[in-house]
């Protein structure tokens, strides 16, 4: 089963949790674009705090990575709210905006 945008996952061989930021049509290939979630870093426009029940931390939006979930074990550990996802995707898109 593919993960969904907004899912928090633990990925085998990688430390910590990751937020899936890629859209569901991309995730259907069992690949995903993720950002790490950390507990201790300074806040800035690309470090966005999340707090959705059991999922707490800071998403490091500049640390975008693609992972092939077909080659790694993974486990969904939670999900974030739609409004939090909008803020995070906006920050990531802002990295690539024109001027």
């Amino acid at each position: 089963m593919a993960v969904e945008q907004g899912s928090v996952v633990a990925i085998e061989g990688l430390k910590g949790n990751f937020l899936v930021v890629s859209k569901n049509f991309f995730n259907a290939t069992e690949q995903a674009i993720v950002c790490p979630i950390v507990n201790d870093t300074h806040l800035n426009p690309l470090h966005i705090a999340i707090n959705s029940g059991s999922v707490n931390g800071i998403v490091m939006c500049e640390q975008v990575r693609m992972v092939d979930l077909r080659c790694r074990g993974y486990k969904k550990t939670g999900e974030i709210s739609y409004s939090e996802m909008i803020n995070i995707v906006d920050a990531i898109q802002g990295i690539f905006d024109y001027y």
Side-chain angles (χ1 to χ4, degrees), residues 19 21 33-38 40-49 58-66 87-96:
L19 176 66
V21 297
I33 299 173
V34 300
C35 292
I37 302 171
V38 299
D40 186 26
T41 190
H42 61 283
L43 292 178
N44 70 37
L46 295 176
H47 295 171
I48 299 176
I58 299 170
V59 177
M60 299 183 71
C61 297
E62 79 280 15
Q63 298 293 323
V64 178
R65 301 284 187 268
M66 189 193 82
N87 290 336
I88 291 164
V89 170
D90 284 348
I92 294 168
Q93 286 178 334
I95 296 170
F96 301 102

PDB file of all heavy atoms in Angstrom, residues 19 21 33-38 40-49 58-66 87-96:
ATOM      1  N   LEU A  19       8.132  13.234   6.906  1.00  0.00           N
ATOM      2  CA  LEU A  19       6.832  13.645   6.409  1.00  0.00           C
ATOM      3  C   LEU A  19       6.801  13.433   4.901  1.00  0.00           C
ATOM      4  O   LEU A  19       7.690  13.907   4.186  1.00  0.00           O
ATOM      5  CB  LEU A  19       6.571  15.115   6.729  1.00  0.00           C
ATOM      6  CG  LEU A  19       5.275  15.683   6.157  1.00  0.00           C
ATOM      7  CD1 LEU A  19       4.064  15.013   6.809  1.00  0.00           C
ATOM      8  CD2 LEU A  19       5.226  17.189   6.344  1.00  0.00           C
ATOM      9  N   VAL A  21       5.711  14.495   1.514  1.00  0.00           N
ATOM     10  CA  VAL A  21       5.234  15.753   0.933  1.00  0.00           C
ATOM     11  C   VAL A  21       4.793  15.596  -0.519  1.00  0.00           C
ATOM     12  O   VAL A  21       4.141  16.489  -1.063  1.00  0.00           O
ATOM     13  CB  VAL A  21       6.290  16.882   1.059  1.00  0.00           C
ATOM     14  CG1 VAL A  21       6.563  17.193   2.522  1.00  0.00           C
ATOM     15  CG2 VAL A  21       7.569  16.538   0.328  1.00  0.00           C
ATOM     16  N   ILE A  33       8.525  11.535  -1.868  1.00  0.00           N
ATOM     17  CA  ILE A  33       9.398  12.652  -1.538  1.00  0.00           C
ATOM     18  C   ILE A  33       9.076  13.029  -0.102  1.00  0.00           C
ATOM     19  O   ILE A  33       7.910  13.228   0.246  1.00  0.00           O
ATOM     20  CB  ILE A  33       9.201  13.819  -2.515  1.00  0.00           C
ATOM     21  CG1 ILE A  33       9.555  13.341  -3.930  1.00  0.00           C
ATOM     22  CG2 ILE A  33      10.054  15.008  -2.093  1.00  0.00           C
ATOM     23  CD1 ILE A  33       9.265  14.331  -5.022  1.00  0.00           C
ATOM     24  N   VAL A  34      10.114  13.073   0.719  1.00  0.00           N
ATOM     25  CA  VAL A  34       9.939  13.253   2.159  1.00  0.00           C
ATOM     26  C   VAL A  34      10.835  14.359   2.688  1.00  0.00           C
ATOM     27  O   VAL A  34      11.836  14.724   2.064  1.00  0.00           O
ATOM     28  CB  VAL A  34      10.241  11.940   2.917  1.00  0.00           C
ATOM     29  CG1 VAL A  34       9.306  10.822   2.479  1.00  0.00           C
ATOM     30  CG2 VAL A  34      11.684  11.508   2.757  1.00  0.00           C
ATOM     31  N   CYS A  35      10.461  14.867   3.856  1.00  0.00           N
ATOM     32  CA  CYS A  35      11.286  15.804   4.620  1.00  0.00           C
ATOM     33  C   CYS A  35      11.426  15.250   6.034  1.00  0.00           C
ATOM     34  O   CYS A  35      10.452  14.723   6.587  1.00  0.00           O
ATOM     35  CB  CYS A  35      10.633  17.179   4.698  1.00  0.00           C
ATOM     36  SG  CYS A  35      10.544  18.053   3.141  1.00  0.00           S
ATOM     37  N   PRO A  36      12.613  15.396   6.634  1.00  0.00           N
ATOM     38  CA  PRO A  36      12.786  14.882   7.996  1.00  0.00           C
ATOM     39  C   PRO A  36      12.036  15.719   9.025  1.00  0.00           C
ATOM     40  O   PRO A  36      11.831  16.923   8.841  1.00  0.00           O
ATOM     41  CB  PRO A  36      14.294  14.974   8.220  1.00  0.00           C
ATOM     42  CG  PRO A  36      14.764  16.017   7.270  1.00  0.00           C
ATOM     43  CD  PRO A  36      13.842  15.974   6.096  1.00  0.00           C
ATOM     44  N   ILE A  37      11.646  15.053  10.091  1.00  0.00           N
ATOM     45  CA  ILE A  37      11.034  15.715  11.245  1.00  0.00           C
ATOM     46  C   ILE A  37      12.018  15.578  12.401  1.00  0.00           C
ATOM     47  O   ILE A  37      12.413  14.466  12.759  1.00  0.00           O
ATOM     48  CB  ILE A  37       9.695  15.068  11.612  1.00  0.00           C
ATOM     49  CG1 ILE A  37       8.728  15.124  10.427  1.00  0.00           C
ATOM     50  CG2 ILE A  37       9.091  15.740  12.848  1.00  0.00           C
ATOM     51  CD1 ILE A  37       7.461  14.314  10.628  1.00  0.00           C
ATOM     52  N   VAL A  38      12.420  16.702  12.954  1.00  0.00           N
ATOM     53  CA  VAL A  38      13.372  16.689  14.060  1.00  0.00           C
ATOM     54  C   VAL A  38      12.718  17.315  15.288  1.00  0.00           C
ATOM     55  O   VAL A  38      11.686  17.971  15.201  1.00  0.00           O
ATOM     56  CB  VAL A  38      14.676  17.436  13.690  1.00  0.00           C
ATOM     57  CG1 VAL A  38      15.367  16.765  12.506  1.00  0.00           C
ATOM     58  CG2 VAL A  38      14.418  18.905  13.399  1.00  0.00           C
ATOM     59  N   ASP A  40      14.706  19.165  17.652  1.00  0.00           N
ATOM     60  CA  ASP A  40      15.464  20.287  18.191  1.00  0.00           C
ATOM     61  C   ASP A  40      16.233  20.999  17.081  1.00  0.00           C
ATOM     62  O   ASP A  40      17.254  20.492  16.620  1.00  0.00           O
ATOM     63  CB  ASP A  40      16.434  19.784  19.260  1.00  0.00           C
ATOM     64  CG  ASP A  40      17.149  20.909  19.977  1.00  0.00           C
ATOM     65  OD1 ASP A  40      16.589  22.025  20.038  1.00  0.00           O
ATOM     66  OD2 ASP A  40      18.257  20.674  20.474  1.00  0.00           O
ATOM     67  N   THR A  41      15.728  22.118  16.660  1.00  0.00           N
ATOM     68  CA  THR A  41      16.417  22.995  15.714  1.00  0.00           C
ATOM     69  C   THR A  41      15.783  24.366  15.837  1.00  0.00           C
ATOM     70  O   THR A  41      14.731  24.524  16.460  1.00  0.00           O
ATOM     71  CB  THR A  41      16.356  22.454  14.271  1.00  0.00           C
ATOM     72  OG1 THR A  41      17.230  23.215  13.444  1.00  0.00           O
ATOM     73  CG2 THR A  41      14.957  22.534  13.703  1.00  0.00           C
ATOM     74  N   HIS A  42      16.412  25.356  15.255  1.00  0.00           N
ATOM     75  CA  HIS A  42      15.861  26.706  15.320  1.00  0.00           C
ATOM     76  C   HIS A  42      14.765  26.866  14.271  1.00  0.00           C
ATOM     77  O   HIS A  42      14.812  26.249  13.206  1.00  0.00           O
ATOM     78  CB  HIS A  42      16.959  27.749  15.129  1.00  0.00           C
ATOM     79  CG  HIS A  42      17.655  27.639  13.801  1.00  0.00           C
ATOM     80  ND1 HIS A  42      18.607  26.666  13.542  1.00  0.00           N
ATOM     81  CD2 HIS A  42      17.502  28.349  12.665  1.00  0.00           C
ATOM     82  CE1 HIS A  42      19.025  26.797  12.285  1.00  0.00           C
ATOM     83  NE2 HIS A  42      18.374  27.800  11.732  1.00  0.00           N
ATOM     84  N   LEU A  43      13.762  27.658  14.582  1.00  0.00           N
ATOM     85  CA  LEU A  43      12.694  27.920  13.627  1.00  0.00           C
ATOM     86  C   LEU A  43      13.144  28.986  12.642  1.00  0.00           C
ATOM     87  O   LEU A  43      13.830  29.941  13.011  1.00  0.00           O
ATOM     88  CB  LEU A  43      11.426  28.372  14.346  1.00  0.00           C
ATOM     89  CG  LEU A  43      10.719  27.326  15.198  1.00  0.00           C
ATOM     90  CD1 LEU A  43       9.510  27.934  15.897  1.00  0.00           C
ATOM     91  CD2 LEU A  43      10.288  26.139  14.364  1.00  0.00           C
ATOM     92  N   ASN A  44      12.798  28.798  11.394  1.00  0.00           N
ATOM     93  CA  ASN A  44      12.984  29.800  10.356  1.00  0.00           C
ATOM     94  C   ASN A  44      11.915  29.508   9.311  1.00  0.00           C
ATOM     95  O   ASN A  44      11.129  28.583   9.485  1.00  0.00           O
ATOM     96  CB  ASN A  44      14.429  29.796   9.808  1.00  0.00           C
ATOM     97  CG  ASN A  44      14.785  28.576   8.987  1.00  0.00           C
ATOM     98  OD1 ASN A  44      13.959  28.050   8.240  1.00  0.00           O
ATOM     99  ND2 ASN A  44      16.012  28.113   9.111  1.00  0.00           N
ATOM    100  N   PRO A  45      11.855  30.253   8.224  1.00  0.00           N
ATOM    101  CA  PRO A  45      10.770  30.018   7.267  1.00  0.00           C
ATOM    102  C   PRO A  45      10.735  28.621   6.657  1.00  0.00           C
ATOM    103  O   PRO A  45       9.694  28.200   6.158  1.00  0.00           O
ATOM    104  CB  PRO A  45      11.037  31.074   6.184  1.00  0.00           C
ATOM    105  CG  PRO A  45      11.720  32.182   6.911  1.00  0.00           C
ATOM    106  CD  PRO A  45      12.588  31.490   7.925  1.00  0.00           C
ATOM    107  N   LEU A  46      11.833  27.889   6.702  1.00  0.00           N
ATOM    108  CA  LEU A  46      11.854  26.541   6.144  1.00  0.00           C
ATOM    109  C   LEU A  46      11.866  25.452   7.213  1.00  0.00           C
ATOM    110  O   LEU A  46      11.947  24.268   6.884  1.00  0.00           O
ATOM    111  CB  LEU A  46      13.054  26.375   5.210  1.00  0.00           C
ATOM    112  CG  LEU A  46      13.008  27.252   3.962  1.00  0.00           C
ATOM    113  CD1 LEU A  46      14.286  27.096   3.158  1.00  0.00           C
ATOM    114  CD2 LEU A  46      11.791  26.943   3.116  1.00  0.00           C
ATOM    115  N   HIS A  47      11.784  25.828   8.473  1.00  0.00           N
ATOM    116  CA  HIS A  47      11.661  24.882   9.591  1.00  0.00           C
ATOM    117  C   HIS A  47      10.296  25.131  10.219  1.00  0.00           C
ATOM    118  O   HIS A  47      10.120  26.105  10.951  1.00  0.00           O
ATOM    119  CB  HIS A  47      12.756  25.097  10.626  1.00  0.00           C
ATOM    120  CG  HIS A  47      14.124  24.798  10.118  1.00  0.00           C
ATOM    121  ND1 HIS A  47      15.248  25.101  10.841  1.00  0.00           N
ATOM    122  CD2 HIS A  47      14.564  24.231   8.983  1.00  0.00           C
ATOM    123  CE1 HIS A  47      16.318  24.733  10.162  1.00  0.00           C
ATOM    124  NE2 HIS A  47      15.925  24.200   9.022  1.00  0.00           N
ATOM    125  N   ILE A  48       9.356  24.264   9.946  1.00  0.00           N
ATOM    126  CA  ILE A  48       7.967  24.497  10.345  1.00  0.00           C
ATOM    127  C   ILE A  48       7.552  23.504  11.420  1.00  0.00           C
ATOM    128  O   ILE A  48       7.637  22.284  11.223  1.00  0.00           O
ATOM    129  CB  ILE A  48       7.038  24.405   9.122  1.00  0.00           C
ATOM    130  CG1 ILE A  48       7.445  25.484   8.102  1.00  0.00           C
ATOM    131  CG2 ILE A  48       5.582  24.551   9.535  1.00  0.00           C
ATOM    132  CD1 ILE A  48       6.663  25.441   6.813  1.00  0.00           C
ATOM    133  N   ALA A  49       7.095  24.045  12.546  1.00  0.00           N
ATOM    134  CA  ALA A  49       6.647  23.216  13.665  1.00  0.00           C
ATOM    135  C   ALA A  49       5.308  22.572  13.328  1.00  0.00           C
ATOM    136  O   ALA A  49       4.431  23.203  12.730  1.00  0.00           O
ATOM    137  CB  ALA A  49       6.526  24.049  14.925  1.00  0.00           C
ATOM    138  N   ILE A  58       9.622  19.451  14.200  1.00  0.00           N
ATOM    139  CA  ILE A  58       9.874  20.515  13.236  1.00  0.00           C
ATOM    140  C   ILE A  58      10.237  19.857  11.907  1.00  0.00           C
ATOM    141  O   ILE A  58      11.173  19.056  11.829  1.00  0.00           O
ATOM    142  CB  ILE A  58      11.000  21.430  13.722  1.00  0.00           C
ATOM    143  CG1 ILE A  58      10.596  22.079  15.053  1.00  0.00           C
ATOM    144  CG2 ILE A  58      11.330  22.496  12.671  1.00  0.00           C
ATOM    145  CD1 ILE A  58      11.704  22.816  15.749  1.00  0.00           C
ATOM    146  N   VAL A  59       9.486  20.202  10.872  1.00  0.00           N
ATOM    147  CA  VAL A  59       9.748  19.683   9.532  1.00  0.00           C
ATOM    148  C   VAL A  59      10.811  20.569   8.889  1.00  0.00           C
ATOM    149  O   VAL A  59      10.663  21.785   8.837  1.00  0.00           O
ATOM    150  CB  VAL A  59       8.468  19.677   8.671  1.00  0.00           C
ATOM    151  CG1 VAL A  59       8.771  19.195   7.259  1.00  0.00           C
ATOM    152  CG2 VAL A  59       7.396  18.822   9.325  1.00  0.00           C
ATOM    153  N   MET A  60      11.866  19.951   8.424  1.00  0.00           N
ATOM    154  CA  MET A  60      12.955  20.677   7.769  1.00  0.00           C
ATOM    155  C   MET A  60      12.703  20.664   6.259  1.00  0.00           C
ATOM    156  O   MET A  60      13.105  19.747   5.551  1.00  0.00           O
ATOM    157  CB  MET A  60      14.290  20.047   8.146  1.00  0.00           C
ATOM    158  CG  MET A  60      14.528  20.105   9.654  1.00  0.00           C
ATOM    159  SD  MET A  60      16.118  19.470  10.137  1.00  0.00           S
ATOM    160  CE  MET A  60      17.178  20.756   9.524  1.00  0.00           C
ATOM    161  N   CYS A  61      12.009  21.699   5.784  1.00  0.00           N
ATOM    162  CA  CYS A  61      11.515  21.735   4.410  1.00  0.00           C
ATOM    163  C   CYS A  61      12.623  21.846   3.369  1.00  0.00           C
ATOM    164  O   CYS A  61      12.406  21.484   2.211  1.00  0.00           O
ATOM    165  CB  CYS A  61      10.544  22.900   4.236  1.00  0.00           C
ATOM    166  SG  CYS A  61       9.067  22.747   5.258  1.00  0.00           S
ATOM    167  N   GLU A  62      13.799  22.301   3.741  1.00  0.00           N
ATOM    168  CA  GLU A  62      14.898  22.406   2.776  1.00  0.00           C
ATOM    169  C   GLU A  62      15.636  21.083   2.598  1.00  0.00           C
ATOM    170  O   GLU A  62      16.477  20.934   1.717  1.00  0.00           O
ATOM    171  CB  GLU A  62      15.887  23.510   3.183  1.00  0.00           C
ATOM    172  CG  GLU A  62      16.864  23.139   4.267  1.00  0.00           C
ATOM    173  CD  GLU A  62      16.316  23.189   5.694  1.00  0.00           C
ATOM    174  OE1 GLU A  62      15.085  23.240   5.886  1.00  0.00           O
ATOM    175  OE2 GLU A  62      17.137  23.163   6.622  1.00  0.00           O
ATOM    176  N   GLN A  63      15.297  20.080   3.391  1.00  0.00           N
ATOM    177  CA  GLN A  63      15.965  18.774   3.342  1.00  0.00           C
ATOM    178  C   GLN A  63      15.112  17.753   2.588  1.00  0.00           C
ATOM    179  O   GLN A  63      14.874  16.642   3.053  1.00  0.00           O
ATOM    180  CB  GLN A  63      16.249  18.288   4.762  1.00  0.00           C
ATOM    181  CG  GLN A  63      17.160  19.172   5.560  1.00  0.00           C
ATOM    182  CD  GLN A  63      18.575  19.176   4.995  1.00  0.00           C
ATOM    183  OE1 GLN A  63      19.066  18.161   4.527  1.00  0.00           O
ATOM    184  NE2 GLN A  63      19.217  20.329   5.027  1.00  0.00           N
ATOM    185  N   VAL A  64      14.660  18.122   1.403  1.00  0.00           N
ATOM    186  CA  VAL A  64      13.789  17.278   0.594  1.00  0.00           C
ATOM    187  C   VAL A  64      14.584  16.089   0.041  1.00  0.00           C
ATOM    188  O   VAL A  64      15.690  16.261  -0.472  1.00  0.00           O
ATOM    189  CB  VAL A  64      13.181  18.093  -0.562  1.00  0.00           C
ATOM    190  CG1 VAL A  64      12.314  17.233  -1.456  1.00  0.00           C
ATOM    191  CG2 VAL A  64      12.390  19.277  -0.031  1.00  0.00           C
ATOM    192  N   ARG A  65      14.011  14.894   0.166  1.00  0.00           N
ATOM    193  CA  ARG A  65      14.661  13.674  -0.311  1.00  0.00           C
ATOM    194  C   ARG A  65      13.632  12.780  -0.992  1.00  0.00           C
ATOM    195  O   ARG A  65      12.476  12.729  -0.580  1.00  0.00           O
ATOM    196  CB  ARG A  65      15.245  12.860   0.854  1.00  0.00           C
ATOM    197  CG  ARG A  65      16.259  13.588   1.692  1.00  0.00           C
ATOM    198  CD  ARG A  65      17.595  13.667   0.977  1.00  0.00           C
ATOM    199  NE  ARG A  65      18.628  14.208   1.829  1.00  0.00           N
ATOM    200  CZ  ARG A  65      18.956  15.481   1.905  1.00  0.00           C
ATOM    201  NH1 ARG A  65      18.307  16.372   1.202  1.00  0.00           N
ATOM    202  NH2 ARG A  65      19.932  15.883   2.688  1.00  0.00           N
ATOM    203  N   MET A  66      14.061  12.057  -2.018  1.00  0.00           N
ATOM    204  CA  MET A  66      13.211  11.039  -2.605  1.00  0.00           C
ATOM    205  C   MET A  66      13.674   9.683  -2.076  1.00  0.00           C
ATOM    206  O   MET A  66      14.871   9.417  -2.037  1.00  0.00           O
ATOM    207  CB  MET A  66      13.276  11.028  -4.119  1.00  0.00           C
ATOM    208  CG  MET A  66      12.209  10.109  -4.697  1.00  0.00           C
ATOM    209  SD  MET A  66      12.404   9.715  -6.417  1.00  0.00           S
ATOM    210  CE  MET A  66      13.604   8.410  -6.310  1.00  0.00           C
ATOM    211  N   ASN A  87       0.867  24.653   4.674  1.00  0.00           N
ATOM    212  CA  ASN A  87       1.994  25.526   5.046  1.00  0.00           C
ATOM    213  C   ASN A  87       3.328  24.932   4.612  1.00  0.00           C
ATOM    214  O   ASN A  87       4.209  25.643   4.121  1.00  0.00           O
ATOM    215  CB  ASN A  87       2.008  25.770   6.556  1.00  0.00           C
ATOM    216  CG  ASN A  87       0.879  26.648   7.014  1.00  0.00           C
ATOM    217  OD1 ASN A  87       0.328  27.424   6.251  1.00  0.00           O
ATOM    218  ND2 ASN A  87       0.514  26.513   8.271  1.00  0.00           N
ATOM    219  N   ILE A  88       3.472  23.643   4.778  1.00  0.00           N
ATOM    220  CA  ILE A  88       4.742  22.991   4.444  1.00  0.00           C
ATOM    221  C   ILE A  88       4.962  22.954   2.934  1.00  0.00           C
ATOM    222  O   ILE A  88       6.045  23.285   2.441  1.00  0.00           O
ATOM    223  CB  ILE A  88       4.792  21.586   5.080  1.00  0.00           C
ATOM    224  CG1 ILE A  88       4.907  21.748   6.601  1.00  0.00           C
ATOM    225  CG2 ILE A  88       5.926  20.755   4.513  1.00  0.00           C
ATOM    226  CD1 ILE A  88       4.600  20.512   7.387  1.00  0.00           C
ATOM    227  N   VAL A  89       3.936  22.581   2.179  1.00  0.00           N
ATOM    228  CA  VAL A  89       4.071  22.545   0.717  1.00  0.00           C
ATOM    229  C   VAL A  89       4.321  23.939   0.168  1.00  0.00           C
ATOM    230  O   VAL A  89       5.137  24.125  -0.741  1.00  0.00           O
ATOM    231  CB  VAL A  89       2.838  21.880   0.067  1.00  0.00           C
ATOM    232  CG1 VAL A  89       2.861  22.055  -1.442  1.00  0.00           C
ATOM    233  CG2 VAL A  89       2.787  20.407   0.417  1.00  0.00           C
ATOM    234  N   ASP A  90       3.666  24.957   0.724  1.00  0.00           N
ATOM    235  CA  ASP A  90       3.922  26.340   0.299  1.00  0.00           C
ATOM    236  C   ASP A  90       5.382  26.729   0.525  1.00  0.00           C
ATOM    237  O   ASP A  90       5.998  27.384  -0.313  1.00  0.00           O
ATOM    238  CB  ASP A  90       3.010  27.320   1.030  1.00  0.00           C
ATOM    239  CG  ASP A  90       1.583  27.324   0.495  1.00  0.00           C
ATOM    240  OD1 ASP A  90       1.342  26.733  -0.585  1.00  0.00           O
ATOM    241  OD2 ASP A  90       0.710  27.908   1.168  1.00  0.00           O
ATOM    242  N   ALA A  91       5.945  26.333   1.650  1.00  0.00           N
ATOM    243  CA  ALA A  91       7.353  26.657   1.940  1.00  0.00           C
ATOM    244  C   ALA A  91       8.284  25.954   0.956  1.00  0.00           C
ATOM    245  O   ALA A  91       9.241  26.549   0.460  1.00  0.00           O
ATOM    246  CB  ALA A  91       7.697  26.248   3.374  1.00  0.00           C
ATOM    247  N   ILE A  92       8.000  24.695   0.654  1.00  0.00           N
ATOM    248  CA  ILE A  92       8.838  23.954  -0.294  1.00  0.00           C
ATOM    249  C   ILE A  92       8.733  24.567  -1.684  1.00  0.00           C
ATOM    250  O   ILE A  92       9.744  24.768  -2.363  1.00  0.00           O
ATOM    251  CB  ILE A  92       8.453  22.462  -0.308  1.00  0.00           C
ATOM    252  CG1 ILE A  92       8.791  21.825   1.041  1.00  0.00           C
ATOM    253  CG2 ILE A  92       9.162  21.732  -1.445  1.00  0.00           C
ATOM    254  CD1 ILE A  92       8.210  20.443   1.235  1.00  0.00           C
ATOM    255  N   GLN A  93       7.520  24.889  -2.122  1.00  0.00           N
ATOM    256  CA  GLN A  93       7.347  25.524  -3.429  1.00  0.00           C
ATOM    257  C   GLN A  93       8.072  26.864  -3.488  1.00  0.00           C
ATOM    258  O   GLN A  93       8.604  27.240  -4.526  1.00  0.00           O
ATOM    259  CB  GLN A  93       5.865  25.719  -3.750  1.00  0.00           C
ATOM    260  CG  GLN A  93       5.169  24.444  -4.111  1.00  0.00           C
ATOM    261  CD  GLN A  93       3.689  24.644  -4.384  1.00  0.00           C
ATOM    262  OE1 GLN A  93       3.073  25.580  -3.877  1.00  0.00           O
ATOM    263  NE2 GLN A  93       3.111  23.757  -5.162  1.00  0.00           N
ATOM    264  N   GLY A  94       8.106  27.575  -2.365  1.00  0.00           N
ATOM    265  CA  GLY A  94       8.768  28.872  -2.309  1.00  0.00           C
ATOM    266  C   GLY A  94      10.267  28.784  -2.588  1.00  0.00           C
ATOM    267  O   GLY A  94      10.881  29.758  -3.049  1.00  0.00           O
ATOM    268  N   ILE A  95      10.866  27.642  -2.337  1.00  0.00           N
ATOM    269  CA  ILE A  95      12.296  27.460  -2.639  1.00  0.00           C
ATOM    270  C   ILE A  95      12.532  27.589  -4.133  1.00  0.00           C
ATOM    271  O   ILE A  95      13.565  28.076  -4.569  1.00  0.00           O
ATOM    272  CB  ILE A  95      12.777  26.077  -2.139  1.00  0.00           C
ATOM    273  CG1 ILE A  95      12.680  25.989  -0.622  1.00  0.00           C
ATOM    274  CG2 ILE A  95      14.203  25.796  -2.611  1.00  0.00           C
ATOM    275  CD1 ILE A  95      12.908  24.590  -0.069  1.00  0.00           C
ATOM    276  N   PHE A  96      11.551  27.187  -4.953  1.00  0.00           N
ATOM    277  CA  PHE A  96      11.722  27.118  -6.390  1.00  0.00           C
ATOM    278  C   PHE A  96      11.035  28.243  -7.147  1.00  0.00           C
ATOM    279  O   PHE A  96      11.084  28.283  -8.383  1.00  0.00           O
ATOM    280  CB  PHE A  96      11.201  25.768  -6.912  1.00  0.00           C
ATOM    281  CG  PHE A  96      11.925  24.610  -6.281  1.00  0.00           C
ATOM    282  CD1 PHE A  96      11.325  23.886  -5.257  1.00  0.00           C
ATOM    283  CD2 PHE A  96      13.197  24.265  -6.691  1.00  0.00           C
ATOM    284  CE1 PHE A  96      12.008  22.813  -4.674  1.00  0.00           C
ATOM    285  CE2 PHE A  96      13.879  23.206  -6.095  1.00  0.00           C
ATOM    286  CZ  PHE A  96      13.267  22.483  -5.093  1.00  0.00           C
TER     287      PHE A  96
END
